[in-house]
Amino acid sequence: MAPGFVPLACPQAQFAPVWVDDVAQAMVRSIDDERTIGGRYDLCGPRVLTLKELLAYTAKRLGKRVWILGLDDQRSQLMARILGKLPGAPITLDNYRSMQTPSVCDEHNGLLQLGIHPTDIDTIVPTYLGG
């Protein structure tokens, strides 16, 4: 993460980060459970955070001071159009469009339905980012 400031597209986009081991455990449990055949399970972590909150959380864990400049919708879309043309595009129009829909679970988190307690980011992230 660069020091200084970060212009952030779609700062209010919502996410419920889920730990990959929880997802793997859900897959394993569903393989042996006939009740899951044909079912669909949304898998989410226990906490909903905005993209701005996730970036601030990451910066704090890395010990970086960063000013996050949240862009409005028009500037977010413009950023996606421009940066989407670069090699290794950091954001594309597809990313922009996907962030218009919250990536969260309703009251039916598939992890809970499968008997798995979702792991919070505070349990895992410090093990690889520090802090």
Side-chain angles (χ1 to χ4, degrees), residues 92-113:
T92 66
L93 273 175
D94 282 345
N95 298 140
Y96 165 80
R97 289 181 189 116
S98 72
M99 287 190 281
Q100 303 310 300
T101 302
S103 294
V104 300
C105 291
D106 58 16
E107 67 277 359
H108 302 293
N109 187 339
L111 293 175
L112 296 173
Q113 292 174 304

Side-chain angles (χ1 to χ4, degrees), residues 5-69:
F5 83 98
V6 176
L8 183 64
C10 306
Q12 296 307 313
Q14 293 182 326
F15 300 91
V18 61
W19 189 33
V20 67
D21 283 8
D22 288 346
V23 173
Q25 184 63 28
M27 292 176 69
V28 168
R29 288 189 185 187
S30 67
I31 289 170
D32 293 331
D33 188 344
E34 289 185 10
R35 295 173 296 168
T36 63
I37 294 173
R40 181 179 145 266
Y41 295 85
D42 294 331
L43 307 177
C44 293
R47 189 168 17 153
V48 174
L49 298 163
T50 65
L51 183 57
K52 185 175 182 176
E53 290 169 334
L54 283 169
L55 184 60
Y57 177 88
T58 302
K60 182 178 178 181
R61 289 286 174 202
L62 291 172
K64 303 279 186 183
R65 296 184 78 177
V66 63
W67 180 58
I68 302 167
L69 175 64

Side-chain angles (χ1 to χ4, degrees), residues 58-85:
T58 302
K60 182 178 178 181
R61 289 286 174 202
L62 291 172
K64 303 279 186 183
R65 296 184 78 177
V66 63
W67 180 58
I68 302 167
L69 175 64
L71 303 178
D72 62 21
D73 189 62
Q74 186 176 5
R75 286 181 177 83
S76 294
Q77 188 174 20
L78 178 62
M79 177 186 248
R81 286 184 188 280
I82 293 170
L83 297 183
K85 297 185 185 310

